[in-house]
Amino acid sequence: MKFSTLPPKGTFDVTPEEMELRSWMQDTIKNTYKEHGFTQIETPSIENLELLTNSEGGENLQMLFKILKRGEKFSPQEITESTTENDLCDLGLRFDLTLPLSRFYANNRNDLMNPFKAFQMGYVWRAEKPQKGRFRQFTQCDIDILGDDSIYAEIDLILTVTKALKRLGFDDCTVKVNDRRLLREMVERSGLPAEGFDTLCITLDKADKIGDDGVLRELLEKGFEEESARKLLALLKTIEEEGLTAFESEEATDLQRLIDNVKDYYPIEFEPTLVRGMGYYTGPIFEIESGDFKSSIAGGGRYDDLLSKFQKESMPGVGVSIGFERIFAILQSKDFVIPEKPKKRALIYTTEEDLQKTVAFAEALRDRGQIVSMIRSFNKVGKKAKQVENAGYDDVVVIREDTVLDDLL
């Protein structure tokens, strides 16, 4: 029986050349986060299913990868017509890094600083319909601040992540900001029912793709009154013209303070239809768009109630995640070359007698910061050298008895 060599749909293999770029990207992001005082943590890829399903993760809850109970916990004979999927499972793969961070903080808070500035990098999983640019397994790079309820936490995050993106080669980014509380105010002014806020937000989040007519049509299909829906669209037009001056609230003042503190460094603007998909957002939300990708490459927001799932007292939190796979795809499409890349050399030795001096030469080159690989080839040396060149080495040295190595340092 022959098995397919392709990876499962929605996942991908990473070649050595691709891994080199991905590692450089991660190192660049990581070093920028560290410069701004964020400390790295790591959480498990799996979480308890009960936690995941009660996380207000929005549409992501429909895309959970669930793990079947094992051993004595799994009893097929107890399955009945009323048995649900969740009855058969007890764990799931994480769909983002924010929920695991909240659990991590509640578990370790006595040993952590307050405020706690953390960053994580790792794979997350969502049962997406595989398509170009959308995967079932993908990398997220998150930074979060827990314990700071002021707008200065958002300012810190945005200045950090935009600097990381700039170092990755994205000089044309625009930050777009909104506040979930201002969205609720818009809904209230329009006369739409507050209990329909979450489903209304799902529609508003598509406004830039489906337009006003599409938003109106979808709201009517969801059962909202036409008069109120039209009133909301008219209000959005007014707010787009007047900006944050259309509001008289502390939330609007804070959002303006955020804009004022970022605008001297990066383009930033108020976007009243910005929603973000997660249901746990409670305050300011933001996305960073790239002119190259014509879409968001980073986003996040404030989630002040999320930690109340783990502890009695509430704990303010805010975070942002970089769309790692999107950025990787953009850099690949531009044939991006890693700057200040160490020289990569291959040393081919042709006899056992040449091994000792090859090792000594390789160590001398490594001491100079070069990447060196030693390769044995006792025959067909030319073919091996060509193969090594095609693998991306900058220099291929064939070492023989008469080779003068000092001339090659």
Side-chain angles (χ1 to χ4, degrees):
M1 178 180 178
K2 291 185 177 180
F3 296 97
S4 172
T5 60
L6 296 174
K9 286 185 178 180
T11 66
F12 48 85
D13 292 324
V14 182
T15 66
E17 184 180 3
E18 292 170 338
M19 196 69 232
E20 196 168 27
L21 175 57
R22 293 173 74 90
S23 295
W24 174 81
M25 289 171 57
Q26 289 184 337
D27 289 343
T28 301
I29 295 168
K30 183 187 301 183
N31 291 337
T32 306
Y33 288 175
K34 285 182 176 179
E35 284 178 16
H36 284 248
F38 291 85
T39 55
Q40 187 170 14
I41 66 166
E42 188 169 292
T43 55
S45 298
I46 58 175
E47 292 285 350
N48 290 317
L49 186 60
E50 183 180 20
L51 172 62
L52 293 171
T53 55
N54 290 278
S55 61
E56 297 181 78
E59 292 182 319
N60 292 317
L61 297 185
Q62 307 303 316
M63 296 186 285
L64 279 178
F65 279 105
K66 301 175 183 179
I67 301 174
L68 201 65
K69 291 178 180 177
R70 300 145 307 285
E72 295 179 356
K73 290 184 178 181
F74 181 64
S75 302
Q77 62 272 19
E78 296 180 7
I79 297 176
T80 66
E81 291 183 1
S82 62
T83 301
T84 67
E85 189 179 76
N86 286 353
D87 293 329
L88 301 175
C89 303
D90 60 349
L91 300 171
L93 296 176
R94 62 189 182 193
F95 58 79
D96 76 353
L97 298 177
T98 305
L99 184 67
L101 168 67
S102 300
R103 181 198 51 72
F104 169 92
Y105 182 82
N107 187 45
N108 298 280
R109 59 179 177 169
N110 292 335
D111 301 318
L112 301 174
M113 285 185 59
N114 186 20
F116 180 51
K117 298 174 64 173
F119 76 89
Q120 298 183 79
M121 294 184 180
Y123 279 125
V124 299
W125 293 265
R126 296 175 191 172
E128 297 263 15
K129 181 180 179 181
Q131 52 188 300
K132 184 177 180 180
R134 298 190 77 87
F135 303 101
R136 289 175 172 173
Q137 173 183 287
F138 55 95
T139 298
Q140 283 192 340
C141 302
D142 285 18
I143 44 172
D144 296 79
I145 299 177
L146 303 179
D148 187 343
D149 61 359
S150 74
I151 198 67
Y152 300 107
E154 278 86 343
I155 294 169
D156 193 357
L157 285 173
I158 290 176
L159 290 175
T160 302
V161 77
T162 44
K163 181 183 288 185
L165 292 171
K166 189 170 185 178
R167 289 177 173 177
L168 290 173
F170 293 85
D171 297 318
D172 62 342
C173 291
T174 300
V175 183
K176 297 192 174 184
V177 297
N178 198 2
D179 192 302
R180 275 294 181 97
R181 293 164 294 185
L182 297 184
L183 280 169
R184 287 190 180 277
E185 183 178 333
M186 295 179 217
V187 170
E188 291 173 3
R189 286 197 210 177
S190 305
L192 291 163
E195 59 270 19
F197 178 73
D198 289 337
T199 185
L200 188 149
C201 280
I202 292 172
T203 300
L204 278 184
D205 199 31
K206 307 174 187 174
D208 59 335
K209 298 181 180 69
I210 63 178
D212 288 353
D213 291 340
V215 170
L216 178 61
R217 182 168 56 253
E218 192 165 309
L219 290 179
L220 296 181
E221 289 172 355
K222 289 182 175 181
F224 292 101
E225 293 184 359
E226 182 173 354
E227 181 181 354
S228 295
R230 290 188 179 277
K231 191 173 181 180
L232 174 63
L233 290 173
L235 179 59
L236 285 170
K237 290 290 185 187
T238 301
I239 293 172
E240 284 176 359
E241 295 173 0
E242 298 181 5
L244 288 167
T245 59
F247 300 91
E248 295 181 1
S249 64
E250 184 179 345
E251 292 79 21
T253 301
D254 272 346
L255 213 55
Q256 188 60 56
R257 187 177 293 117
L258 167 63
I259 292 171
D260 291 342
N261 279 274
V262 173
K263 66 182 182 181
D264 290 340
Y265 304 94
Y266 304 98
I268 183 170
E269 58 190 44
F270 170 54
E271 175 51 71
T273 60
L274 179 63
V275 173
R276 300 291 296 159
M278 298 300 190
Y280 51 63
Y281 287 130
T282 58
I285 49 179
F286 36 87
E287 288 187 348
I288 302 174
E289 293 189 358
S290 164
D292 286 335
F293 197 73
K294 308 299 182 186
S295 184
S296 169
I297 57 173
R302 180 166 286 277
Y303 48 89
D304 285 349
D305 296 333
L306 195 56
L307 267 82
S308 62
K309 296 180 181 296
F310 309 101
Q311 55 190 40
K312 291 182 180 179
E313 66 273 19
S314 62
M315 173 68 68
V318 59
V320 57
S321 179
I322 287 180
F324 188 86
E325 307 301 345
R326 292 184 178 182
I327 293 172
F328 175 71
I330 294 172
L331 294 181
Q332 269 197 316
S333 68
K334 295 167 64 175
D335 294 323
F336 180 81
V337 177
I338 297 173
E340 300 178 6
K341 185 176 174 181
K343 191 169 185 179
K344 189 176 180 181
R345 307 180 79 173
L347 307 182
I348 299 178
Y349 60 98
T350 58
T351 68
E352 288 291 350
E353 290 74 18
D354 295 329
L355 176 58
Q356 187 172 4
K357 70 176 180 180
T358 302
V359 171
F361 185 49
E363 288 300 301
L365 294 176
R366 290 169 184 146
D367 288 343
R368 288 165 169 75
Q370 298 182 23
I371 298 171
V372 182
S373 180
M374 298 188 304
I375 299 168
R376 180 176 66 89
S377 182
F378 291 173
N379 52 53
K380 298 181 180 179
V381 177
K383 183 177 180 180
K384 178 61 69 175
K386 189 65 177 177
Q387 186 183 42
V388 172
E389 286 177 5
N390 293 337
Y393 283 83
D394 302 306
D395 187 23
V396 180
V397 179
V398 178
I399 297 179
R400 294 186 172 89
E401 185 179 359
D402 57 349
T403 305
V404 181
L405 297 179
D406 290 342
D407 295 341
L408 301 173
L409 286 173

